[in-house]
Structures are given as structure tokens and as C-alpha cells.
Amino acid sequence: MPIPPIDRQSTFKRDMKNNEDMATAMNTTSYRHSLTQLFTRHLMHASMPGLMPAGPATSRAEAPGRMPAVLVERLLRQEEKRGVNALNRLGQGLPIATFNAPQPAAHRAATYSYPIHIERASIDALPASAGVYIFRGANDMPLYVGRSVNLRSRVLAHLHNHEEEMLVRQTRRIEFRRTAGELGASLLEQSLVRDLQPLHNKKPRQKRCLFTLRLSLDGRPQVAQVAERDFSRAENLFGIFASERAAQEALQKLVEQHELCSVATGLEESAGEGMACFGRQIRRCRGCCTGEESPELHQQRLMQALEDLRILPWPYQGPMGVIEEVDGWRQVHVIDHWRYLGSLDEEHQQLRARPAASMKGFDLDSYKLLIKPFLLQQLDLHALPGLKLPALA
């Protein structure tokens, strides 16, 4: 009996169709199950054909349930490498794990396994509100301090983040302190970082001395070293800088931006009366050095330029309370000379003691958090007569 000739064109088209089906199964956007989608479809056809929707008639070679043995072995090897037994999970009615597709956030949250070494009650107690959280390790050592407007969501994000595996591995429990708003959380976070010095937080820089710009008797800005306690009390101080060089560079930049005279501001010595400074030669000075601009107008423009850097002295005689309120809960943040001392509410009528080292000098972090809303009159400030300040720990 003669052997019929092989229709190579039909075979090629059938192989191409199989490849297209496989590519569709591997790259479908509706399921994103990669190779597992194809594998599961064949298993379901083979074991429970009644549950699968009827499809178009196919040839024996393309019938459901038949799958190349090489591909089956490849899929099983991939599942075995990931530590997942697809057949057992399918038999138990569990979803088959994907190979390379990310799971939805809701699925990750529902199936997430919490670290067994972290006290589960401390995780369950986290509220979905603003505050500060503290990761604590062995012997209650503070590991990390953070803040969020949603404590529970933020802490769970830490636990899901593989890049923070070392922090999670060292954690034994999670402590939180609720606040009435974002300002209170920011103030409390920076104070706890200074007080506790957690292992994984960026260490605050210890500034031995600070520099500022101060006007001389003839009205020229000069770089001056000032005691930290004077920043909240002295007037006519402009800017806070960690070094003399940083203050000098800030003054130079100010002169360039506002077309001020480098001779009149003391940055350059005069070559002679009426001689142009370097800035005037390159048309970056309006001519105070050459008499084209009056000294009075130049001084006025200088003060306007310095105003953005002015350090505002504490304008009150004693500590003041900044009130924040949420859902009927009222919290008072106590501020004195721009330093955050703590918060009061119905349960906490007295301020907590803080380390003496944290109470020294000028609290630049608190000043930066408070000065903008203060100038915009966004702070609900109230006097606190008779308030007993805490003792230093």
C-alpha cells in the first residue's frame, strides 16, 4: 500500500497554530498565569471535562488532555523548583501558583504569612490612622522609627518589602504612638529619632557650632558663629549654616541672584573710589560701587534679599500649645523656643521626660516643621499657663 505524501505545508501551518496557542496562553493579559495557565487548562480538561466550556472541534492530535510529555516535564520541573506541587494544590482546591506573574495586591494581603518571630498582637493592634511606629528588636532595642498617616498600611509595606529583610528579621515587636494629625507625627518622629537613636535610622548630625549671617554696624552682612541657644532669641540673624564656608557661599549666591554689589556687601575689596566691582564689569551689579545706584536703594534691596533667610525669634514669653484634632480627639503639641517638648491629651496630662542631650541647643528640625505654617497663620496656638515642664532624663 503506497504511503501518502506528507503535506509539509499543512503540518507547518498546524505547528504554527500550536505555537500561537501556546504564545497566547503564555502571554494572556486577562489571566497573567504564564505557562501555568496552559498547564492548568490541560489538567482540567483531562480530570473534569464537564467543568470546562466546550470549544470548537479539534483533531485527535489537538484534543484536550493531550500535552507533549516534554512540556509537561518542563512545567513540573519549574513548579518543583519553586517548591510548589501543582497537582496537590489543584486536588485540594487551592490556586496554582504562577511562574512569573505578579499577584494582585488584594491576593498578596489575603495570603501573606506574617513573620512568626514578630509578636502578632503588636501587628494586629496597628490602627489605620496617623502616628509614629517603632520597630523593636531583642531586649526592646529600638531598630527603626517612622511616621505615617496610616500606620497599619505603612508597617505592612515594610513587612512586604524584600529590601528591608534585615530590619524585619531583627524585629521582635512593633510599637506605635497615635497622633491627631500629620504635624504631630512629624514632630514626634524627629524627637524619637534624636532620643532613641534607632539602629536603622539615619543618625542626626551632631553640630558642634552653627554659623549665620548678621548685619554689621555699617549694614554689611557678615558670617558669624552664634551659640545655638541664641538662634531662638536673637534678632537680625539670617540663615543657619553648618560651616563658615557654607555661609560664605550662601552670601555669594545671594549677591549674584539679586544683582547686588560685591564691594558694598563686603565680598570684594574696593580697588578705589568709583571703581567697578567684578560684578559690575560683567553686568551683574546695578552700580552701587560706581555711584549709578544709591547706597540707600542698594541697602533696601539687600534687606529684601535677606528676608527669606531671616530666623524668627520665639515671639512668646513661654511655651505654647499647637492644637490638632481628629474625630473628636484633641491633642496639644507643646512648643517652647521652637523646640517640641511633647504632646498632651486626655490620657497624658504630663509631658514625658526626655534625655538631656536631646534638649541642648537649637532644635532646627522642629523650627523647619513649624515656621512655614506659623508664618501662614495655619497653627492653632494657645498659651499654656501653669504647665509643668518635664525633668530631664
Side-chain angles (χ1 to χ4, degrees):
M1 182 177 180
I3 299 175
I6 299 176
D7 189 348
R8 298 187 179 276
Q9 186 173 2
S10 299
T11 303
F12 177 75
K13 289 181 179 180
R14 183 169 63 250
D15 291 342
M16 289 297 295
K17 185 177 184 304
N18 290 340
N19 292 337
E20 291 175 0
D21 290 342
M22 184 177 296
T24 301
M26 294 174 65
N27 297 284
T28 177
T29 57
S30 59
Y31 291 98
R32 293 190 180 277
H33 278 182
S34 186
L35 297 174
T36 308
Q37 174 65 24
L38 182 62
F39 186 36
T40 306
R41 183 186 305 163
H42 281 269
L43 289 175
M44 296 294 287
H45 271 299
S47 58
M48 295 171 285
L51 297 179
M52 300 298 292
T58 56
S59 64
R60 180 179 178 86
E62 299 173 348
R66 288 189 175 273
M67 197 173 185
V70 175
L71 181 56
V72 173
E73 292 176 0
R74 176 186 173 189
L75 293 172
L76 290 175
R77 282 197 304 270
Q78 292 183 6
E79 291 286 341
E80 184 178 359
K81 289 181 181 179
R82 290 178 173 267
V84 177
N85 191 322
L87 294 176
N88 289 342
R89 292 181 66 85
L90 183 62
Q92 298 171 7
L94 299 175
I96 294 181
T98 62
F99 288 94
N100 57 6
Q103 294 284 5
H107 174 78
R108 292 198 306 269
T111 60
Y112 178 71
S113 177
Y114 293 96
I116 60 175
H117 62 279
I118 299 180
E119 183 182 301
R120 180 59 184 270
S122 67
I123 301 178
D124 294 338
L126 293 167
S129 57
V132 171
Y133 56 91
I134 307 172
F135 281 64
R136 292 191 177 271
N139 301 321
D140 237 21
M141 175 186 293
L143 300 175
Y144 182 78
V145 173
R147 75 176 189 276
S148 177
V149 295
N150 188 322
L151 287 169
R152 182 168 185 82
S153 175
R154 186 69 185 95
V155 170
L156 292 182
H158 279 292
L159 300 182
H160 283 81
N161 191 350
H162 295 293
E163 295 181 358
E164 301 183 49
E165 183 179 355
M166 180 176 295
L167 171 62
V168 175
R169 189 186 307 121
Q170 295 174 337
T171 302
R172 295 297 175 266
R173 73 179 184 93
I174 300 170
E175 176 186 338
F176 74 91
R177 299 183 188 179
R178 189 179 169 219
T179 62
E182 190 172 357
L183 176 62
S186 299
L187 291 169
L188 180 58
E189 179 199 29
Q190 58 92 7
S191 69
L192 287 176
V193 169
R194 183 182 291 112
D195 294 351
L196 301 178
Q197 298 185 5
L199 184 63
H200 290 270
N201 281 91
K202 183 179 180 180
K203 298 294 185 294
R205 297 182 62 181
Q206 300 294 331
K207 301 179 180 64
R208 297 181 179 178
C209 56
L210 293 174
F211 294 84
T212 187
L213 298 177
R214 171 179 272 171
L215 293 178
S216 63
L217 294 178
D218 59 356
R220 293 187 178 188
Q222 295 179 336
V223 177
Q225 182 177 346
V226 180
E228 290 192 43
R229 63 179 179 273
D230 292 336
F231 276 101
S232 60
R233 297 174 172 87
E235 297 183 357
N236 294 325
L237 300 182
F238 304 93
I240 302 176
F241 308 98
S243 66
E244 183 178 3
R245 178 179 178 181
Q248 198 74 22
E249 290 177 350
L251 178 58
Q252 180 70 46
K253 184 176 181 181
L254 189 78
V255 169
E256 293 176 357
Q257 287 180 341
H258 295 271
E259 298 182 346
L260 297 170
C261 179
S262 57
V263 170
T265 54
L267 292 176
E268 179 183 342
E269 292 187 6
S270 175
E273 185 177 354
M275 298 296 293
C277 67
F278 177 74
R280 183 56 184 162
Q281 296 176 27
I282 59 175
R283 299 183 180 277
R284 292 185 180 178
C285 167
R286 297 186 184 180
C288 180
C289 49
T290 59
E292 298 172 71
E293 181 183 38
S294 67
E296 293 77 16
L297 179 58
H298 182 272
Q299 187 67 19
Q300 181 182 352
R301 294 198 302 112
L302 171 63
M303 295 305 298
Q304 291 176 349
L306 287 172
E307 196 61 34
D308 292 338
L309 297 177
R310 181 184 292 275
I311 303 299
L312 183 67
W314 181 246
Y316 305 102
Q317 293 297 324
M320 298 289 289
V322 178
I323 296 179
E324 275 191 311
E325 189 171 352
V326 59
D327 298 333
W329 178 47
R330 184 175 179 177
Q331 195 174 32
V332 181
H333 311 304
V334 182
I335 312 295
D336 187 23
H337 288 89
W338 302 114
R339 178 180 298 282
Y340 171 69
L341 301 180
S343 298
L344 302 173
D345 55 26
E346 294 180 356
E347 296 182 3
H348 304 89
Q349 298 291 335
Q350 293 183 348
L351 296 173
R352 299 174 186 238
R354 295 186 59 187
S358 300
M359 304 297 288
K360 293 181 180 179
F362 180 68
D363 193 345
L364 181 59
D365 295 327
S366 293
Y367 178 82
K368 290 180 177 180
L369 289 172
L370 294 166
I371 189 60
K372 183 176 180 179
F374 175 81
L375 294 175
L376 295 176
Q377 299 183 354
Q378 296 175 347
L379 298 180
D380 188 5
L381 283 163
H382 294 266
L384 300 173
L387 176 67
K388 184 179 179 181
L389 298 180
L392 299 180

